[in-house]
Every structure is written in structure tokens, then in C-alpha cells.
Amino acid sequence: GLEVHRAARVMAAGNGGQILISDATRSLGTRGLEGDVEMRDLGERALRDLAGRERLFRPATVLGGVA
């Protein structure tokens, strides 16, 4: 469905194996991990074949290590 298509577009927005997540995924996926996961805000991006723009994030620090 549409969410699988959106996930594919978020993945395609990355470069060379970069891990990217949407704002919705960030807000759901990092609950309870405050202090363990730092996200770098990459701003809003237009994703091919989707209306509007999507705010994307990249994990910057995970559990004290560098992502």
C-alpha cells in the first residue's frame, strides 16, 4: 500500500547505505530511548510520486556509539 511506497521513497532518499527515517517513525520508534539515540534533522524533502514533503532524520548517535 501507500505506506510501503512511502518507506521505499524514504530509503531511496539516502546516500550510500545511509539510514533515514521519517518524522512519524522517529516519534514512534524513539520512545523510551531518550539519551540513547540522537537524530540529525535533515529537513523536509520532496519524495518522488508522493504529494507534499516529508521531514527526514538520520541517526547520529546510537547507545553511545557513532551511527
Side-chain angles (χ1 to χ4, degrees), residues 3-67:
E3 294 309 315
V4 172
H5 185 69
R6 182 179 310 281
R9 295 301 182 232
V10 170
M11 287 176 44
N15 297 314
Q18 192 176 41
I19 298 169
L20 300 181
I21 62 171
S22 68
D23 189 33
T25 301
R26 180 197 58 84
S27 64
L28 291 172
T30 59
R31 286 186 193 160
L33 296 176
E34 293 82 5
D36 291 334
V37 177
E38 177 188 333
M39 295 289 171
R40 181 152 300 140
D41 186 345
L42 301 177
E44 292 187 351
R45 307 268 180 99
L47 300 178
R48 189 173 58 122
D49 299 329
L50 296 174
R53 299 174 70 79
E54 186 84 37
R55 183 168 295 281
L56 300 180
F57 293 84
R58 178 178 67 83
T61 305
V62 179
L63 302 174
V66 176

